[in-house]
Amino acid sequence: MGIRWAKQMRDTFGVPFLWLVSLIYFTQGFRSFVWTAVSYHMKDMLKLSPSALQFVVSVAYSPWSIKPIYGILSDCIPIRGRKRIPYLLISTVLSLLPWLVLGLTTSLRSSSNSLAAFLTVQNFGSAMADVVIDAMIAEAVRSEHAEFSGDLQSLSWSAMALGGICGSLLGGYTLSNLRIDTIFLLFSVLPTIQLLSCALVEEAPAGSKSTPDHSKQQHIEYEADVTFSSGNGSFTKTLKSGTSRRKKSSHKNAERKTKSIKSEIREQQNGLLAARGYLSLKSAAYSLCRAFRKPMILRPMAWFFFSNITVPNLSTHMFYYQTEVLHLEASFLGTVRVIGWFGLMLGTYIYNRYLKHMKLRKILMFAHIGLATVILFDIILVSRSHVQFAIPDKYMVLWGSALGDAINQFKMMPFLIISGQLCPPGIEGTLFALFMSINNLSSTLGSFLGAALASVLNISSGSFDNLPLGITVQLAATLVPIAFLFLIPKEATGLTSQ
């Protein structure tokens, strides 16, 4: 069955397209390889406090909060008649160059400001590539290949999970054995392969209704050449009996007129393209607003935004606690992330196997209760209550990470499926990117809230006395969104948009 499925996918979409999808998602997961090194570099070399580190990382990830802009550009403004591949090339270059520059220039990675600037550019490229490949997948399965929608999503998640596992395993090892500049340069190999792979995928020109007809243009230019070089019959005879000077003069006049008409045609086409681009943007904005007003889109998005922004994120402070107080090695924390990726895949399987027919309100309620339970593991860890039961610190960290990533999937999967189903033709990238931007923006604001909470409680590197109180506040905040589940349509399930 697996071989037959793979052959059907290959015959339907082609090997280059499937390879590009797998590579981009693998690279997104493999980013943990280099971001582990970035976290340790800012902590140990730049000596940033937990709140400062969390602020820098949040700023660097800000390009993920404006993904609809990338979607609108790729949906409405083709480059050389293509809507996806040119933007994928641009985004890949933007995600490649920062790692090369940081790897080759010591001074730029020794300053938190320059490092944050280059990391922001890199995230700009990664976010744009994510939007474009999501749009390509949505276009590929929207109509005649809709039965492969789940298969492509499974391929995407599997590739990203595999990348995350490999990146997490190698990240801790390389951090202990290689310099940070070498790690940056090693990671740049993947964007380089991605850049070369873009040339293997053929993209059909944008729809004939929205792009100029080049065959007609060539035909008009050909007729202009014939008209002004041959003329009528009597004029041809006159040319044959005239002098060579008159003949050359006539040809020069004909060439001038031909060039003039070609110039006018190009000007008209440029104006037509500009007008069509404006109309396309206007139509996309209207379609986006109309789709966004649908209760099945607006209400879950509002709840999802609220559910993230109300929970202060203290993950950076936990990272400092684990490394400075518990003295956990980088290799072990890499293993923790691997367990987290396996938890993510387990959560995806449990959702698809048992939960997708459940009511969405019930899924989300259980998800937040589960997340609160996972935060309880952190409270036990920082309060050292587990020591009296002879439970090692590593077990607490491992179980908390695995369960947390698995339960988070119970929140993500329903929204990913619903948003993919309701993407109107023509703005696939924009609507899907809008959903993910709401998630990213709310997570970023949750990180700022966590930094503010830590500042109020005076939680910093070397001062973790109030960390149990901060995590207790985080636990209580995790239960607050349950009271607002009325924003979710009552009959909606995790599979359909009723």
Side-chain angles (χ1 to χ4, degrees):
M1 178 64 75
I3 297 177
R4 184 185 306 172
W5 170 82
K7 187 177 184 301
Q8 289 177 343
M9 291 277 287
R10 182 195 64 192
D11 294 341
T12 302
F13 301 106
V15 174
F17 176 76
L18 296 177
W19 162 255
L20 187 61
V21 170
S22 301
L23 178 62
I24 290 177
Y25 278 98
F26 179 88
T27 303
Q28 295 287 17
F30 197 77
R31 280 158 54 89
S32 58
F33 169 82
V34 71
W35 278 92
T36 299
V38 168
S39 298
Y40 273 93
H41 178 72
M42 289 191 288
K43 169 182 169 291
D44 297 331
M45 302 303 296
L46 303 185
K47 304 299 182 181
L48 297 183
S49 66
S51 297
L53 174 58
Q54 191 153 331
F55 179 81
V56 170
V57 171
S58 297
V59 170
Y61 271 87
S62 60
W64 290 85
S65 300
I66 55 172
K67 291 173 68 175
I69 296 177
Y70 321 137
I72 290 175
L73 289 175
S74 65
D75 282 334
C76 302
I77 306 179
I79 299 176
R80 294 184 177 273
R82 302 296 191 272
K83 296 172 62 178
R84 308 303 180 195
I85 296 299
Y87 286 99
L88 201 55
L89 289 170
I90 293 172
S91 63
T92 304
V93 171
L94 290 176
S95 63
L96 167 63
L97 289 180
W99 297 124
L100 291 177
V101 174
L102 290 173
L104 297 173
T105 311
T106 304
S107 60
L108 292 177
R109 63 175 181 269
S110 299
S111 167
S112 59
N113 292 331
S114 60
L115 181 61
F118 277 95
L119 293 177
T120 301
V121 173
Q122 196 280 326
N123 276 298
F124 181 82
S126 296
M128 182 183 292
D130 187 69
V131 171
V132 174
I133 199 64
D134 283 340
M136 292 175 70
I137 291 175
E139 288 176 337
V141 302
R142 188 178 62 225
S143 53
E144 64 270 17
H145 304 310
E147 69 274 11
F148 289 102
S149 176
D151 296 327
L152 274 181
Q153 290 292 345
S154 297
L155 176 66
S156 304
W157 280 102
S158 299
M160 186 167 64
L162 179 61
I165 291 171
C166 295
S168 299
L169 282 175
L170 295 175
Y173 172 79
T174 55
L175 189 62
S176 303
N177 295 274
L178 299 176
R179 298 191 315 177
I180 187 145
D181 56 337
T182 305
I183 294 175
F184 287 167
L185 294 176
L186 282 175
F187 182 78
S188 66
V189 172
L190 277 178
T192 302
I193 298 175
Q194 181 177 312
L195 186 64
L196 298 175
S197 300
C198 291
L200 302 177
V201 178
E202 296 182 1
E203 181 186 3
S208 57
K209 292 183 180 181
S210 60
T211 55
D213 191 334
H214 296 289
S215 62
K216 289 184 179 180
Q217 173 189 345
Q218 293 173 356
H219 183 63
I220 292 172
E221 293 178 357
Y222 173 75
E223 286 185 344
D225 288 340
V226 172
T227 300
F228 289 101
S229 63
S230 63
N232 55 35
S234 59
F235 183 61
T236 304
K237 292 178 182 179
T238 304
L239 285 176
K240 287 182 179 180
S241 60
T243 61
S244 60
R245 182 183 299 175
R246 291 179 60 190
K247 186 174 182 179
K248 291 179 181 179
S249 177
S250 299
H251 277 295
K252 289 181 179 179
N253 290 334
E255 289 176 1
R256 292 194 194 99
K257 293 179 180 179
T258 301
K259 291 180 180 179
S260 177
I261 287 185
K262 288 181 179 180
S263 177
E264 291 179 1
I265 290 174
R266 292 191 187 97
E267 290 178 1
Q268 291 175 358
Q269 287 178 343
N270 290 335
L272 186 60
L273 286 173
R276 285 175 174 170
Y278 170 76
L279 291 175
S280 180
L281 287 172
K282 185 177 180 180
S283 175
Y286 173 76
S287 299
L288 184 62
C289 292
R290 184 176 59 183
F292 194 78
R293 286 198 301 265
K294 291 182 179 181
M296 199 57 200
I297 290 288
L298 178 59
R299 293 167 67 93
M301 281 187 175
W303 182 87
F304 195 45
F305 181 84
F306 180 78
S307 69
N308 284 335
I309 198 176
T310 55
V311 182
N313 186 345
L314 296 173
S315 58
T316 302
H317 300 80
M318 285 299 299
F319 168 70
Y320 273 70
Y321 180 82
Q322 291 168 356
T323 55
E324 295 186 359
V325 177
L326 302 183
H327 303 292
L328 300 179
E329 304 88 355
S331 57
F332 172 76
L333 293 180
T335 304
V336 170
R337 294 186 181 93
V338 171
I339 299 299
W341 280 105
F342 279 114
L344 183 147
M345 291 189 291
L346 177 63
T348 303
Y349 171 78
I350 292 175
Y351 175 85
N352 286 324
R353 185 70 176 85
Y354 301 106
L355 302 180
K356 63 184 179 182
H357 295 286
M358 289 178 59
K359 296 295 176 60
L360 197 54
R361 289 186 181 183
K362 186 178 293 187
I363 295 175
L364 296 173
M365 181 184 69
F366 286 140
H368 268 259
I369 293 175
L371 290 174
T373 305
V374 171
I375 295 176
L376 189 61
F377 276 80
D378 289 338
I379 295 177
I380 295 173
L381 178 67
V382 299
S383 64
R384 315 302 294 157
S385 301
H386 62 290
V387 175
Q388 57 184 323
F389 299 103
I391 301 176
D393 296 333
K394 292 184 176 182
Y395 287 175
M396 297 293 297
V397 175
L398 282 173
W399 280 107
S401 175
L403 289 175
D405 287 328
I407 295 172
N408 265 318
Q409 279 302 91
F410 302 155
K411 285 183 62 175
M412 286 297 296
M413 288 299 293
F415 289 102
L416 289 173
I417 292 173
I418 289 171
S419 60
Q421 288 175 341
L422 298 182
C423 285
I427 59 168
E428 302 92 347
T430 307
L431 185 60
F432 198 85
L434 177 62
F435 163 74
M436 294 307 299
S437 292
I438 289 176
N439 172 38
N440 296 325
L441 177 60
S442 59
S443 297
T444 298
L445 294 177
S447 296
F448 288 142
L449 180 62
L453 176 63
S455 178
V456 170
L457 297 179
N458 195 29
I459 302 172
S460 62
S461 179
S463 178
F464 297 100
D465 294 338
N466 290 328
L467 185 56
L469 176 60
I471 299 177
T472 302
V473 173
Q474 184 185 31
L475 186 150
T478 304
L479 298 174
V480 172
I482 297 177
F484 294 87
L485 281 173
F486 63 86
L487 291 172
I488 306 296
K490 185 176 181 180
E491 299 302 321
T493 68
L495 180 64
T496 60
S497 51
Q498 297 176 356

